[in-house]
Amino acid sequence: MILFLAGTSDARELALEIQKAGLRVLATVVTESAAKSLEEAGVPAQVGRLTSADMTALIKEKGFQAVVDASHPFAEEASKNALQGAKEADVPYIRYERESQRFRHPNLTVVSDYAEAARLAARIKGVIMLTTGSKTLEVFAKELVGLPNTRMIVRMLPRIDNMEKCAALGVEQKDIVAIQGPFSKELNIALYRQYGVTLMITKESGKVGSVDEKVAAALECGIETIMIARPKVNYSTMFSSFDQIIAELNKCLC
């Protein structure tokens, strides 16, 4: 049986392919909506964040034979916990990583982390659309909320906890776009024009994360763009295709 870290649409598809290959999977996710999506597709799931110690205990308790980490490219903590948990439990760890995309344009700046993105945005000012999710909203709010000649528009999932976080950080309702993607290039353009966006901030989540539509739309509109590079994690074994993941599992478990 495989312990599977999930939470994205391509992760769900990978879990299904692993099951089709004859291997049993239990997915671990952090939200009820992600669990529901997996279970509706026929993949058993459990909800809750796991520390490395939790991961080790779960692997030993359930007798998992391997860990497949298909968490989001920016779920750095989850991946590190999975790496350590698998190591402590002495089972193979296999990382599925979406292929990276390379963007080059005079209006696009790549930065190393959220804090650098927030500091740069504070220097640029203007109407800033933040499309990096709610988890790191505090980093940007600290630099941008109340800054003269600056309006921060936050685009995030329409969840109650997200709205509560916005209220706590001083983000006004008129500056919240609560909507679930994926977004087409045309919809991105419409949103940028609706709010008069002059700067867009995103992260390099990969094509499956619809980053190319966001970036292409911004650049076409002449909007400056800040892209946050993926965190650097020393994955022990990593592949970017479903076939490679399944082949590695078969090799490890034979």
Side-chain angles (χ1 to χ4, degrees):
M1 192 170 183
I2 311 302
L3 180 59
F4 187 91
L5 277 68
T8 61
S9 58
D10 49 336
R12 183 180 64 245
E13 296 307 314
L14 174 56
L16 289 170
E17 289 301 313
I18 292 173
Q19 290 193 150
K20 287 178 185 176
L23 299 170
R24 293 171 60 211
V25 169
L26 174 67
T28 174
V29 296
V30 296
T31 66
E32 294 288 349
S33 60
K36 181 180 178 182
S37 175
L38 284 161
E39 288 170 349
E40 286 177 347
V43 180
Q46 71 171 40
V47 181
R49 296 185 186 277
L50 299 174
T51 65
S52 60
D54 293 335
M55 199 84 65
T56 301
L58 183 62
I59 293 167
K60 291 180 177 179
E61 177 189 345
K62 301 290 186 182
F64 290 109
Q65 298 167 283
V67 174
V68 173
D69 176 8
S71 59
H72 192 277
F74 280 79
E76 181 180 4
E77 183 179 355
S79 289
K80 288 181 176 179
N81 286 340
L83 272 163
Q84 185 62 29
K87 180 180 179 181
E88 293 293 330
D90 195 27
V91 299
Y93 168 94
I94 305 168
R95 169 66 176 170
Y96 167 71
E97 179 85 346
R98 296 172 178 174
E99 289 187 1
S100 294
Q101 293 175 282
R102 296 290 180 263
F103 300 90
R104 292 183 180 178
H105 192 279
N107 283 353
L108 187 147
T109 302
V110 178
V111 298
S112 60
D113 56 32
Y114 296 97
E116 185 181 355
R119 290 192 297 268
L120 179 57
R123 293 199 297 271
I124 296 173
K125 300 184 181 181
V127 180
I128 301 165
M129 179 166 280
L130 188 64
T131 69
T132 52
S134 62
K135 188 176 179 180
T136 57
L137 181 58
E138 186 173 2
V139 176
F140 293 96
K142 181 180 177 181
E143 295 283 351
L144 302 174
V145 171
L147 186 68
N149 304 313
T150 303
R151 181 186 182 190
M152 184 178 74
I153 310 294
V154 297
R155 196 169 92 182
M156 57 179 56
L157 292 172
R159 293 186 348 214
I160 293 174
D161 58 328
N162 285 347
M163 302 306 103
E164 290 173 342
K165 178 177 281 190
C166 285
L169 293 173
V171 180
E172 298 184 41
Q173 289 184 18
K174 65 180 180 179
D175 295 330
I176 302 171
V177 181
I179 188 170
Q180 182 167 358
F183 304 91
S184 66
K185 177 182 172 183
E186 291 73 23
L187 179 53
N188 278 297
I189 289 174
L191 286 171
Y192 297 152
R193 289 176 174 169
Q194 172 71 25
Y195 288 92
V197 174
T198 59
L199 173 66
M200 190 271 288
I201 304 176
T202 187
K203 53 190 181 184
E204 205 284 276
S205 301
K207 185 174 179 60
V208 179
S210 300
V211 172
D212 49 351
E213 285 88 352
K214 279 193 280 189
V215 173
L219 298 178
E220 184 174 310
C221 293
I223 295 170
E224 287 193 67
T225 300
I226 297 173
M227 177 177 287
I228 302 163
R230 293 184 186 184
K232 291 180 172 60
V233 179
N234 186 24
Y235 301 114
S236 54
T237 305
M238 183 177 76
F239 302 100
S240 294
S241 81
F242 293 1
D243 288 344
Q244 289 173 316
I245 295 291
I246 293 169
E248 184 68 16
L249 281 170
N250 286 330
K251 185 174 75 172
C252 291
L253 304 180
C254 66

